[in-house]
Amino acid sequence: MTKQLMFNIFTMDTVSHVNQGMWRHPENKTVDHNDLATWTELAELAERGMFDTIFLADGAGLGGDFGGDWSIYPERGLMFPIADPMMLLPAMVHATENLGFIVTSAPIQHPPYSFARSMATLDHLSKGRIGWNVVTNASANAHRNVGLDGLVEHDERYSIAEEYLEVVYKLWEGSWDDGAIVRDVERGIYADPSKVHKINHEGKYFRSEGPLQVAPSPQRTPMLFQAGGSDVGRNFGARHAEGIFLMADTPADARRVIEDMRKRADEAGRNADDLRFFQGLTFVVGSTMEEAERKAADLDKYQDPTASMAYRGGFMGIDFANADPDTPLRELIKQADGVKGPLQLFIDKQPEGSNPTVRDLSAFFGAKYRVVGTPESISDELAEWAAVGVDGINMISIITPGTYAEFIDHVVPVLQERGLMKREYAPGTLREKFYGSGHSRLELPHPAAQQRRNPTLSAQ
């Protein structure tokens, strides 16, 4: 039986996301990212194309310096300026009926109570179509923006995230019992106070009294996503995430990550089959291979390689402008304070006994996770990703909305004909669309479900 893939639009509320320099393309509407119509039209396009979600990345702070300072960010429009993605969701929700929305947020951006309140509100307004991409934020600037001295050490950021999740789980799952809202007009009782609880959390990093003042939303806890590539990050994702984001170079690489993550989930006491894996890819579509390659070459004229190097090094905490090309990466990763996973994955892929250097990264950084071809050849390649256990694709834009519109108009019909993509939406919440009717809420043994006052209650 052919496996259906899920599809997310992967984007950011900024002029330039993954493909640096493309804001200069005359057809790219990311320069209009402050225009609400840009986002409502993208949401309508995604729903017309039967996409599952719009996944909004975020970066609440500058990346690391490049060449000793931060001027490249405003100069090259390198994920700068960038606006708050959460503010886009109500309008996009209103413009759609089935499309899900995944928003990125880190513990340093919002106190846990404020974040829990906002996400519960959004889950209500969307009738349960909200997901959360849990990140730890590797930007020193982002930490200083909220009053911290600088970037918290890598592993401690995950310790903070663990407690942050504990607090929001208590608020979403433990504040209100099922049946707390009675709406008894005759007696004038709206909610049974014996079924509403303060959480009284006192931890190492956070204190929160509760209860959450928002009534339970359709999913209670929004659907959870994560993309950590380091050992600590993978363990964190195995304990908490439902969706795992991948940036594997090949289907074989993806298979190894998937097998590793399922093993970690099993060791964490979870059902390993509950994890869904999304590979990041982008596409250039042509009616012939020659046309597709010509379009790709035209797009490459707008790419900014200097900004791309700054982007990659920025989120790793490495200034590649000043790095000696012959520096061994194993030495460099010891100094990295940012996102270590991508660099470690590159090191792990090299032949045993090799000692890769900064010079060896050039080809790796040049890889754009780009599939260039006809609708039929692209569908063939997507079938290969599905065959190794990938559940969906995070589709990265080159130009917006053109990258998505061409895929929807030309590739989606072929995928649907081959059974690789759905023809209609399943009913229900975002989690139900992923796991089936009746699965709106997280179920035991997930740690969120363990925060309910009576965790043996039905997860419905």
Side-chain angles (χ1 to χ4, degrees):
M1 182 177 176
T2 303
K3 177 180 180 178
Q4 283 190 356
L5 289 167
M6 294 175 279
F7 289 86
N8 305 326
I9 281 180
F10 181 42
T11 187
M12 183 182 269
D13 190 0
T14 186
V15 296
S16 180
H17 185 202
V18 173
N19 288 287
Q20 303 305 323
M22 294 309 301
W23 60 268
R24 300 173 294 168
H25 194 286
E27 297 177 13
N28 196 349
K29 294 186 70 174
T30 58
V31 290
D32 299 323
H33 72 102
N34 286 322
D35 185 339
L36 192 57
T38 298
W39 297 100
T40 54
E41 290 168 7
L42 183 63
E44 291 166 352
L45 174 67
E47 189 158 85
R48 175 173 72 80
M50 303 302 298
F51 272 59
D52 292 272
T53 79
I54 289 180
F55 165 26
L56 290 160
D58 194 14
L62 299 171
D65 286 354
F66 186 73
D69 70 23
W70 58 276
S71 62
I72 193 169
Y73 292 93
E75 178 184 302
R76 303 294 181 98
L78 200 171
M79 292 202 307
F80 187 94
I82 180 170
D84 186 345
M86 197 176 289
M87 297 297 101
L88 303 174
L89 297 187
M92 292 196 291
V93 161
H94 186 65
T96 56
E97 294 182 2
N98 289 285
L99 189 68
F101 299 93
I102 305 167
V103 67
T104 299
S105 184
I108 65 165
Q109 291 176 245
H110 308 280
Y113 182 90
S114 298
F115 180 73
R117 184 170 178 246
S118 294
M119 292 296 277
T121 302
L122 288 168
D123 202 52
H124 274 298
L125 297 177
S126 66
K127 296 181 171 60
R129 291 188 276 146
I130 300 299
W132 173 24
N133 176 37
V134 187
V135 297
T136 57
N137 198 313
S139 165
N141 174 249
H143 284 68
R144 290 192 292 267
N145 284 342
V146 294
L148 299 173
D149 292 334
L151 184 62
V152 174
E153 187 272 332
H154 178 273
D155 289 5
E156 187 177 6
R157 294 201 302 273
Y158 279 101
S159 296
I160 293 169
E162 284 280 357
E163 187 180 334
Y164 190 93
L165 281 169
E166 180 184 351
V167 179
V168 295
Y169 289 162
K170 288 177 178 179
L171 291 165
W172 286 325
E173 302 285 351
S175 286
W176 296 72
D177 294 345
D178 290 338
I181 296 177
V182 295
R183 294 175 182 162
D184 188 328
V185 175
E186 294 299 322
R187 293 191 298 154
I189 298 174
Y190 180 78
D192 182 347
S194 70
K195 295 184 177 182
V196 183
H197 312 281
K198 291 184 176 182
I199 65 168
N200 294 314
H201 178 88
E202 299 267 353
K204 179 178 179 180
Y205 302 106
F206 303 105
R207 298 169 62 190
S208 183
E209 183 177 357
L212 185 64
Q213 290 175 283
V214 183
S217 69
Q219 297 183 115
R220 287 203 180 227
T221 296
M223 196 168 176
L224 300 169
F225 297 81
Q226 199 263 347
S230 66
D231 190 60
V232 173
R234 287 193 185 188
N235 286 335
F236 179 86
R239 284 191 294 274
H240 298 283
E242 300 166 87
I244 301 289
F245 299 131
L246 310 174
M247 289 299 284
D249 286 359
T250 67
D253 291 335
R255 185 197 297 273
R256 285 189 285 272
V257 176
I258 290 168
E259 290 173 350
D260 176 67
M261 286 301 300
R262 293 203 189 281
K263 179 175 180 291
R264 291 173 192 253
D266 183 68
E267 291 171 350
R270 291 184 60 199
N271 181 352
D273 292 333
D274 286 347
L275 272 60
R276 300 288 185 266
F277 296 90
F278 290 83
Q279 167 67 20
L281 293 173
T282 191
F283 305 91
V284 180
V285 187
S287 57
T288 65
M289 184 61 73
E290 291 75 18
E291 181 189 0
E293 290 174 346
R294 185 171 62 252
K295 289 169 68 173
D298 288 341
L299 290 169
D300 279 340
K301 296 174 183 176
Y302 295 91
Q303 295 278 356
D304 185 336
T306 301
S308 180
M309 184 65 81
Y311 162 71
R312 300 286 180 178
F315 70 79
M316 292 181 188
I318 301 169
D319 188 346
F320 282 113
N322 294 327
D324 184 331
D326 295 315
T327 302
L329 296 179
R330 289 186 175 86
E331 293 300 317
L332 205 59
I333 200 169
K334 295 176 183 177
Q335 306 166 24
D337 293 323
V339 180
K340 298 182 180 182
L343 191 56
Q344 187 65 57
L345 286 172
F346 175 80
I347 294 170
D348 292 344
K349 283 177 53 186
Q350 306 313 303
E352 187 174 351
S354 66
N355 191 26
T357 66
V358 171
R359 195 184 304 277
D360 298 318
L361 279 171
S362 57
F364 178 67
F365 280 170
K368 302 174 181 66
Y369 301 100
R370 180 189 291 183
V371 182
V372 179
T374 65
E376 292 75 20
S377 68
I378 288 171
S379 298
D380 290 341
E381 182 153 344
L382 288 173
E384 294 178 15
W385 290 97
V388 301
V390 167
D391 298 289
I393 303 299
N394 271 340
M395 190 171 165
I396 305 162
S397 72
I398 304 174
I399 58 172
T400 299
T403 301
Y404 304 117
E406 286 195 348
F407 186 90
I408 287 167
D409 290 341
H410 302 293
V411 182
V412 165
V414 177
L415 293 170
Q416 290 174 331
E417 182 66 27
R418 297 185 182 187
L420 283 164
M421 189 174 183
K422 64 185 176 302
R423 293 182 180 273
E424 60 183 16
Y425 285 103
T429 65
L430 181 60
R431 189 171 280 117
E432 286 181 297
K433 286 175 168 59
F434 275 64
Y435 295 106
S437 179
H439 293 280
S440 278
R441 290 173 58 185
L442 282 164
E443 301 174 8
L444 291 171
H446 193 280
Q450 296 176 26
Q451 295 298 337
R452 295 175 195 141
R453 295 284 164 160
N454 183 356
T456 62
L457 286 172
S458 166
Q460 311 313 313

